[in-house]
Amino acid sequence: MMTSESSPLLHYRLFSVSDGALGPPDSSPCGTDAVAVGTGTNPRKLSTFFGVVVPTVLSMFSIVVFMRIGFVVGHAGLLQSLVMLFVAYAIIWLTVLSVCAISTNGAVQGGGAYFMISRTLGPEFGGSIGLMFYLANVFACGVYVLGLVEAVLDVFGRDPSGPTDSLRSLPQGYGYNFLYASIILLLCMAICLVGASIYSQASFFIFLLVFVVLLTILISFLAVRPLTVTIRHGGNVTFTGVYTGINSSTLHDNLQADYSLDYTTGNLMNFATVFAVMFNGCTGIMAGCNLSGELKQPSRSIPIGTIIAVIITFFVYLILFIFTALTCDRTLLREDYGFFRPINIWPPFVLIGVYATSLSASMSTLIGASRILHALAKDDLFGVLLAPAKLVSKGGNPWGAVIYTWALVQLVLLAGKLNTIAGIVTVFYLIAYAAIDLACLALEWASAPNFRPTFRLFSWHTCLLGILSCLVMMFLINPAYASGSIVLLLLLLGSIHFRSSSSSWGYISQALIFHQVRKYLLLLDVRKDHVKFWRPQILLMVSNPRTSCQLIKFVNDLKKGGLYILGHVETGDLDTLPSDPVQTHYSFWLSLVDKLNVKAFVDLTLCPSVRQGAQHLLRITGLGGMKPNTLVLGFYDDASPDDYFLQDQLFSPSLSPKDDAFGVDATSLQAHFPPARDPETPRLLPANDYVAMICDALKMHKNIVLARNFPLLVRPEASSPAMYIDVWPLDLLRPQASAYVDVCSLFLLQMACILNMAASWRRFQLRVFLCVESRGGGGSDGASGWIAAEAKFRELLSKLRIRALIRVVAWDRVAALRGPNAEGQALNREPISCEYLKAANRAVEEEGGAETGVRFLYLPRPPADPALHQRYLEELDTLTGGLGPTLLIHGLTPVTCTEL
């Protein structure tokens, strides 16, 4: 008769060896440091077997293979145990496919899972998952060290309530347990400080030792005769289990499930809880992948070695399940999870296996955690917090990260018992596995030409199933830990996103966005455009952003979710230049867009003249159904432009960050864009060309907007007496030749309404001014004419769902200055008297007053005769002089709709 005494903590070791990242301590994102650190101190020398198969098998076995086989079969029965095994390995297999695909798509450096995720999904995901993966290794190391202590004390620990035994002489208690754990951890740290090569060399010996122990277990199933085992659970509680040898009756009794209480926790087991334990014995699949920095041929070794390791462990678990169900009764399996020891041909063999796997797991997690921490520290995602982890020895060993990790594990050991903490280890591993699947899925969905893994036995279906299965397992194992880990992941994502600068690793999000945008642009059919869904798509021509920043920000409010493009023309001839100067300017313009916080694209072109460049941009800017329908130009006058760069703190070198995300800081912007034009400096754009640009836009059926005095604009966020957006929907140059309800007037109203819908302009109120003459005007005179005009226009606004105040302006005094031949002036484009223009200007200014934030005026078509272009500009200049921020608008597009 043989006796086995159970130890709750020893029997509760549910978790496998973690995926220790044992790659080289130094690695570059571009793969230039893939071979070694220093001069030949860390060469790639591991083969597929030693570098992938051995560590992965050890990681997937751990002490679970010795301590949880009976637990699974005893509660779930053989049939459900086999179902659990197949489902667990199906889940693991999905992640293995993703690991193999990513690892064969390029050189994988040190950092393991962190490196693959960060270089695929970007620093936010990589840093957050990497830190959680690191913490998982830290906690796992504590779990395995304490598990080894408990395994030793289970045999050699002094038991005051039991009989005197010279073998059981080690004192027990919280202090002693902590001391033993610290000594074991110190031994592991010493090995790590020497280097990972010692563990790599010892892993093969441990591998052989574990398989010798497993072989003795299999031999025992065949060679050991039936026996009974007395099991003591502390005090006087004893059970008697039976080892029957291979017996069909025993197999029949063990086929079906019979869930009962778990003697280590006192909880009633069910399929989900037992499956969670079973699954924990299958993790550790990335141990070989994390050794990629030391593999001779990582692209070949990782897929082959990982698959071989998964197959080996699967068949070992399968054989152990079957033989266990054939030879042991339920009592033995459910009441003594360490039943392999009493039925072994030499019981110490099993103890040797438990000790070897526990020590191997402890070293593996400590080494792996230090390598992950070193990779995180090198990437500067957490700043000075991880600065000590950058320190390395002359041989390239990250001793700073080793000591850092040792200190954290030492703190974990203070817990003494990690039953409540250990669950989070596997949850964190599963998050890392799900992130690997997500990375592979993103690469596959992005259809990037450079994603050409040599391992092709995967698809987006396997990646998606891998993600879902990992998430399901997380919540199956522990819903609270799963929810908490996701919250922690989101917090880390946000923290890294807001504090880290841009990286050179590439962003898979950009590839995915490109893929989706291209797909939806193809679906955006211009032939299906409808006036109900019209929105402004604006091309703003910018000469020098130093003088245009206020206008750039204002037009951003005017776009209403539409396309917004900043266009700029460099004058020159490409035939006379060695290269295109425009290409190097894009980064400065894009950084300007970032600093101004506007949602705009940038399009630059090189042309002999500004007019030709504007024509090119109007024709070719945009893509598919997203092309500009409205051209915005600054006004052509002789005003002295203000230099916005010298006024706004955003562009102050002393206040702006020195290191811009893309290498362009405020000082670089100040140097790139030339100072504001001196009024005495000759213009690059003649007046005739300016008016011709307006004509060109109208010929291309583009709406045109001229913006004047916007350096004077007071932003709505600032304290200002302005309360109104004024709209003058009548052509003030030739009011007798226009109407309030033509396409241009309605376009004017629509643009003003859009501005009023912007968040920063909602406190303003629309105010529409009707210019009414008491005589004429279609037979109405006096007050009745005014009332009729107001009522008609109010009805129009009601149909258009535009809320606005209506102000009727007596226009007789101004109209009298047009001269006796006003009709002829309108029809024949005769000169308009300066007195009339000045009177109209005064009327607009006085009616609006200081309460006007911005004015919308009707822009008449320019004359077709180029000889009249100069006069046309002069008339506009007189009409709008001194009015403050003003938009002159001519619309060609029907943009309003009164129907559903």
Side-chain angles (χ1 to χ4, degrees):
M1 179 181 298
M2 301 183 69
T3 301
S4 172
E5 297 183 3
S6 63
S7 171
L9 186 57
L10 173 61
H11 295 320
Y12 206 72
R13 299 301 103 211
L14 308 182
F15 306 97
S16 68
V17 179
S18 76
D19 307 317
L22 305 179
D26 288 298
S27 60
S28 73
C30 298
T32 55
D33 301 329
V35 176
V37 176
T39 308
T41 58
N42 193 16
R44 292 179 178 268
K45 57 185 179 181
L46 294 180
S47 64
T48 301
F49 180 75
F50 289 99
V52 181
V53 176
V54 170
T56 304
V57 168
L58 288 176
S59 296
M60 296 184 71
F61 275 160
S62 182
I63 58 176
V64 176
V65 73
F66 299 112
M67 304 302 298
R68 275 301 175 265
I69 299 296
F71 169 84
V72 176
V73 177
H75 287 286
L78 178 62
L79 296 181
Q80 288 194 17
S81 297
L82 294 179
V83 171
M84 292 178 185
L85 181 67
F86 281 101
V87 172
Y89 268 82
I91 294 172
I92 289 297
W93 184 255
L94 294 172
T95 303
V96 168
L97 297 180
S98 298
V99 169
C100 294
I102 295 179
S103 61
T104 59
N105 191 51
V108 180
Q109 306 302 318
Y114 160 69
F115 184 88
M116 288 193 291
I117 296 169
S118 63
R119 268 51 176 185
T120 303
L121 299 181
E124 292 91 348
F125 256 103
S128 53
I129 295 292
L131 183 61
M132 294 177 71
F133 194 47
Y134 168 73
L135 293 176
N137 278 270
V138 169
F139 283 114
C141 184
V143 168
Y144 293 128
V145 169
L146 287 174
L148 179 56
V149 170
E150 291 295 331
V152 171
L153 293 179
D154 185 54
V155 178
F156 301 104
R158 184 183 302 162
D159 184 4
S161 63
T164 304
D165 188 347
S166 60
L167 186 66
R168 304 177 65 90
S169 59
L170 291 177
Q172 300 189 62
Y174 175 81
Y176 284 109
N177 290 8
F178 178 74
L179 175 63
Y180 303 148
S182 298
I183 293 173
I184 294 173
L185 181 62
L186 190 65
L187 173 64
C188 294
M189 184 190 69
I191 295 174
C192 293
L193 286 176
V194 175
S197 59
I198 290 184
Y199 172 72
S200 298
Q201 294 166 6
S203 62
F204 179 60
F205 172 75
I206 298 174
F207 177 83
L208 291 177
L209 188 60
V210 168
F211 268 88
V212 167
V213 174
L214 290 173
L215 183 61
T216 65
I217 291 174
L218 294 177
I219 294 174
S220 299
F221 283 133
L222 301 173
V224 175
R225 295 180 179 180
L227 54 86
T228 58
V229 181
T230 301
I231 307 162
R232 183 184 303 147
H233 288 173
N236 297 319
V237 180
T238 60
F239 297 89
T240 301
V242 178
Y243 170 76
T244 65
I246 297 177
N247 188 297
S248 59
S249 298
T250 305
L251 176 63
H252 181 271
D253 294 339
N254 287 332
L255 284 179
Q256 303 301 323
D258 185 14
Y259 296 104
S260 62
L261 294 177
D262 173 20
Y263 71 85
T264 64
T265 62
N267 298 326
L268 179 63
M269 295 293 100
N270 54 44
F271 184 90
T273 54
V274 175
F275 180 56
V277 173
M278 170 65 238
F279 184 79
N280 289 318
C282 305
T283 56
I285 56 175
M286 291 168 57
C289 177
N290 291 328
L291 276 167
S292 58
E294 297 181 1
L295 296 173
K296 294 178 182 177
Q297 297 177 298
S299 295
R300 179 178 178 274
S301 298
I302 289 174
I304 295 176
T306 304
I307 291 172
I308 290 174
V310 170
I311 293 173
I312 289 174
T313 56
F314 171 78
F315 280 105
V316 169
Y317 277 123
L318 179 64
I319 292 170
L320 289 177
F321 278 172
I322 294 173
F323 273 98
T324 298
L326 277 168
T327 58
C328 303
D329 74 344
R330 292 273 186 175
T331 303
L332 178 61
L333 297 180
R334 289 191 303 207
E335 303 301 333
D336 184 6
Y337 299 154
F339 73 97
F340 282 144
R341 188 175 63 181
I343 69 170
N344 198 274
I345 54 176
W346 189 51
F349 266 136
V350 177
L351 285 179
I352 292 171
V354 171
Y355 296 161
T357 53
S358 298
L359 184 61
S360 171
S362 303
M363 291 190 297
S364 175
T365 48
L366 185 62
I367 293 172
S370 65
R371 297 310 189 264
I372 297 169
L373 183 67
H374 181 62
L376 282 165
K378 280 179 44 177
D379 288 337
D380 281 326
L381 297 182
F382 296 94
V384 296
L385 184 64
L386 300 184
K390 294 181 182 180
L391 301 174
V392 295
S393 65
K394 291 182 180 180
N397 188 37
W399 62 269
V402 172
I403 295 177
Y404 202 112
T405 305
W406 167 81
L408 289 181
V409 177
Q410 194 69 46
L411 291 176
V412 172
L413 295 180
L414 290 172
K417 305 287 183 181
L418 291 179
N419 288 353
T420 56
I421 301 175
I424 205 168
V425 175
T426 298
V427 170
F428 278 6
Y429 286 155
L430 285 171
I431 284 186
Y433 298 163
I436 289 288
D437 288 319
L438 177 61
C440 191
L441 177 67
L443 288 169
E444 182 71 6
W445 274 355
S447 300
N450 281 321
F451 183 55
R452 299 188 296 271
T454 57
F455 182 88
R456 294 301 305 169
L457 298 179
F458 76 100
S459 70
W460 68 266
H461 305 85
T462 63
C463 301
L464 186 59
L465 282 174
I467 295 171
L468 295 176
S469 60
C470 287
L471 293 176
V472 169
M473 279 306 307
M474 283 169 51
F475 284 93
L476 190 64
I477 290 171
N478 194 309
Y481 284 154
S483 303
S485 63
I486 291 175
V487 171
L488 176 60
L489 173 63
L490 295 176
L491 291 174
L492 290 172
L493 276 172
S495 173
I496 298 175
H497 175 74
F498 285 110
R499 73 167 305 278
S500 66
S501 59
S502 176
S503 73
S504 61
W505 308 337
Y507 292 84
I508 189 62
S509 59
Q510 294 297 300
L512 288 170
I513 290 169
F514 177 88
H515 186 265
Q516 293 303 107
V517 167
R518 181 195 63 83
K519 181 167 67 176
Y520 286 117
L521 273 175
L522 291 172
L523 298 176
L524 191 61
D525 192 342
V526 294
R527 297 169 295 182
K528 298 179 182 178
D529 283 348
H530 194 280
V531 65
K532 288 190 296 185
F533 308 112
W534 180 91
R535 66 180 73 234
Q537 305 202 87
I538 299 172
L539 171 63
L540 170 63
M541 298 299 298
V542 180
S543 173
N544 188 342
R546 283 179 175 268
T547 61
S548 307
C549 289
Q550 287 283 57
L551 179 58
I552 292 172
K553 293 197 286 187
F554 174 80
V555 175
N556 187 64
D557 294 334
L558 198 61
K559 69 181 186 304
K560 187 54 179 174
L563 182 67
Y564 180 23
I565 300 172
L566 301 183
H568 175 72
V569 180
E570 294 274 350
T571 55
D573 187 354
L574 190 59
D575 290 339
T576 63
L577 298 171
S579 62
D580 184 3
V582 166
Q583 301 305 316
T584 59
H585 296 175
Y586 270 99
S587 60
F588 295 96
W589 283 85
L590 292 173
S591 293
L592 173 73
V593 167
D594 292 339
K595 280 196 174 294
L596 294 178
N597 194 27
V598 296
K599 297 177 181 178
F601 298 94
V602 173
D603 214 343
L604 312 178
T605 188
L606 179 72
C607 274
S609 70
V610 175
R611 180 186 175 187
Q612 290 182 23
Q615 290 177 356
H616 293 172
L617 291 175
L618 280 172
R619 285 195 181 97
I620 66 175
T621 294
L623 194 63
M626 295 189 68
K627 296 183 75 69
N629 56 30
T630 303
L631 175 66
V632 180
L633 301 173
F635 195 77
Y636 194 95
D637 58 20
D638 294 323
S640 299
D642 295 326
D643 194 331
Y644 188 81
F645 282 18
L646 301 180
Q647 301 172 6
D648 197 288
Q649 292 184 348
L650 280 174
F651 297 93
S652 172
S654 61
L655 298 176
S656 179
K658 295 294 182 183
D659 296 321
D660 181 82
F662 295 93
V664 180
D665 56 12
T667 304
S668 301
L669 284 177
Q670 293 270 17
H672 176 74
F673 294 110
R677 180 185 62 85
D678 191 305
E680 304 298 327
T681 305
R683 293 177 177 271
L684 293 175
L685 179 65
N688 284 348
D689 277 7
Y690 178 82
V691 180
M693 287 168 59
I694 300 174
C695 297
D696 294 340
L698 295 175
K699 289 176 184 178
M700 296 179 188
H701 207 69
K702 307 292 185 185
N703 309 299
I704 186 75
V705 178
L706 306 184
R708 187 174 193 188
N709 297 325
F710 272 84
L712 304 177
L713 177 69
V714 178
R715 295 292 301 170
E717 300 87 353
S719 57
S720 168
M723 298 174 57
Y724 296 104
I725 299 170
D726 288 353
V727 182
W728 295 76
L730 195 66
D731 182 358
L732 298 182
L733 293 186
R734 294 166 180 84
Q736 67 281 5
S738 64
Y740 287 112
V741 291
D742 65 4
V743 171
C744 186
S745 297
L746 294 177
F747 186 87
L748 199 72
L749 280 169
Q750 181 81 331
M751 295 297 284
C753 182
I754 288 174
L755 179 65
N756 194 215
M757 294 169 72
S760 55
W761 290 88
R762 284 177 186 163
R763 72 176 182 86
F764 285 67
Q765 190 168 11
L766 281 181
R767 194 164 55 173
V768 181
F769 293 88
L770 305 183
C771 303
V772 178
E773 298 181 40
S774 58
R775 58 186 183 278
S780 297
D781 56 14
S784 61
W786 293 16
I787 295 173
E790 181 179 356
K792 184 178 179 181
F793 201 80
R794 191 176 301 280
E795 182 182 0
L796 172 66
L797 293 180
S798 177
K799 291 180 179 179
L800 297 175
R801 290 92 60 207
I802 296 176
R803 300 178 60 184
L805 297 175
I806 298 178
R807 294 276 294 270
V808 178
V809 180
W811 204 247
D812 299 273
R813 180 171 54 85
V814 179
L817 299 174
R818 289 202 303 265
N821 192 22
E823 297 293 336
Q825 292 175 1
L827 296 175
N828 302 322
R829 309 291 302 204
E830 295 181 5
I832 301 173
S833 67
C834 187
E835 290 77 11
Y836 169 78
L837 293 171
K838 291 180 178 179
N841 174 268
R842 283 195 301 273
V844 172
E845 183 178 10
E846 291 170 0
E847 290 293 335
E851 295 179 331
T852 301
V854 63
R855 292 176 173 87
F856 286 72
L857 271 61
Y858 189 116
L859 174 68
R861 270 184 175 271
D865 185 359
L868 302 178
H869 286 178
Q870 183 67 43
R871 191 179 74 193
Y872 172 76
L873 271 183
E874 291 172 356
E875 291 173 353
L876 295 179
D877 182 64
T878 305
L879 176 66
T880 58
L883 290 184
T886 303
L887 294 179
L888 290 157
I889 300 178
H890 190 94
L892 300 177
T893 311
V895 295
T896 56
C897 182
T898 59
E899 300 175 356
L900 284 176

